[in-house]
Amino acid sequence: MKKILIVVDMQNDFIDGALGTKEAESIVDYVAFKIKNFDGQIFVTLDTHGGDYMETEEGKKLPVPHCIKMTHGWLLHEKVYQALAGKSYKLLEKKTFGAKKLVKQLREIGNGADTEMELVGLCTDICVVSNALLLKAFFPNAVIRVDAAGCAGVTPRSHKAALETMKMCQIDVSEDLTL
């Protein structure tokens, strides 16, 4: 069984920057611990925008510049970056919620039938749910799991709603000990 950990957008802007929350700050140590103790392949996504962010469709609906490439807010949180030291991982930039590059990379590994994919990261209700559903669509026979304790949403309420949505779509969700 192939084991894959997908770390979604654990970037400064989502933790303590432009779109940061205390809930996001509270999962950093857990995500770092999870990375350090994971034995398998790791993929890390980076929400990536350019200087034209405010002119994009996302920028018009969420008018908060964030994760502008090569800024401090775009970088992985230092604890997450340190946890990845010495690990084999692939860093994937994405311009939207779901990471098409992730699907492409995983297709190169196989069809998913003998694969367990686990997601942690930010934000549960935007990028985590988008990627989990994308993976489920492309790899219907893979075990896809979300570690709720390693995720945080824009709000606690939207975090819970996203977890329920994923459960309804046959994505395994671990018990969230932080609720």
Side-chain angles (χ1 to χ4, degrees):
M1 181 73 65
K2 292 179 217 134
K3 294 187 181 266
I4 296 168
L5 179 65
I6 300 158
V7 180
V8 179
D9 300 353
M10 288 296 294
Q11 295 161 270
N12 292 317
D13 269 347
F14 292 126
I15 296 168
D16 56 10
L19 295 171
T21 65
K22 62 181 173 53
E23 291 83 11
E25 288 180 37
S26 75
I27 70 163
V28 172
D29 289 335
Y30 180 79
V31 171
F33 174 82
K34 188 109 181 163
I35 292 167
K36 286 179 191 174
N37 293 286
F38 187 75
D39 185 23
Q41 193 160 8
I42 301 173
F43 290 87
V44 180
T45 68
L46 289 174
D47 193 45
T48 303
H49 301 292
D52 65 342
Y53 173 77
M54 294 300 285
E55 285 78 51
T56 68
E57 191 64 21
E58 181 181 332
K60 292 173 187 171
K61 293 182 177 175
L62 177 64
V64 179
H66 64 280
C67 298
I68 307 300
K69 190 169 182 170
M70 304 309 293
T71 65
H72 176 75
W74 176 74
L75 298 173
L76 288 173
H77 188 280
E78 184 63 28
K79 288 182 180 181
V80 172
Y81 182 72
Q82 288 173 359
L84 289 164
K87 293 279 190 178
S88 175
Y89 67 95
K90 292 189 180 187
L91 201 58
L92 303 170
E93 292 180 21
K94 60 183 189 57
K95 294 183 179 194
T96 188
F97 306 138
K100 294 184 287 184
K101 290 179 185 177
L102 177 61
V103 170
K104 182 180 178 189
Q105 291 283 316
L106 292 172
R107 277 188 163 164
E108 291 175 10
I109 295 170
N111 67 6
D114 63 342
T115 306
E116 287 184 11
M117 301 178 202
E118 185 169 23
L119 292 88
V120 294
L122 301 167
C123 294
T124 318
D125 43 350
I126 302 174
C127 293
V128 174
V129 69
S130 294
N131 283 289
L133 293 173
L134 187 64
L135 293 172
K136 191 64 174 174
F138 280 93
F139 304 100
N141 294 314
V143 174
I144 300 173
R145 178 178 303 113
V146 171
D147 183 342
C151 296
V154 174
T155 68
R157 182 176 175 195
S158 61
H159 167 77
K160 290 178 189 177
L163 295 175
E164 289 304 314
T165 296
M166 289 185 276
K167 286 179 191 177
M168 293 302 296
C169 294
Q170 301 176 357
I171 294 165
D172 297 333
V173 176
S174 65
E175 184 63 31
D176 189 341
L177 303 175
T178 63
L179 298 177

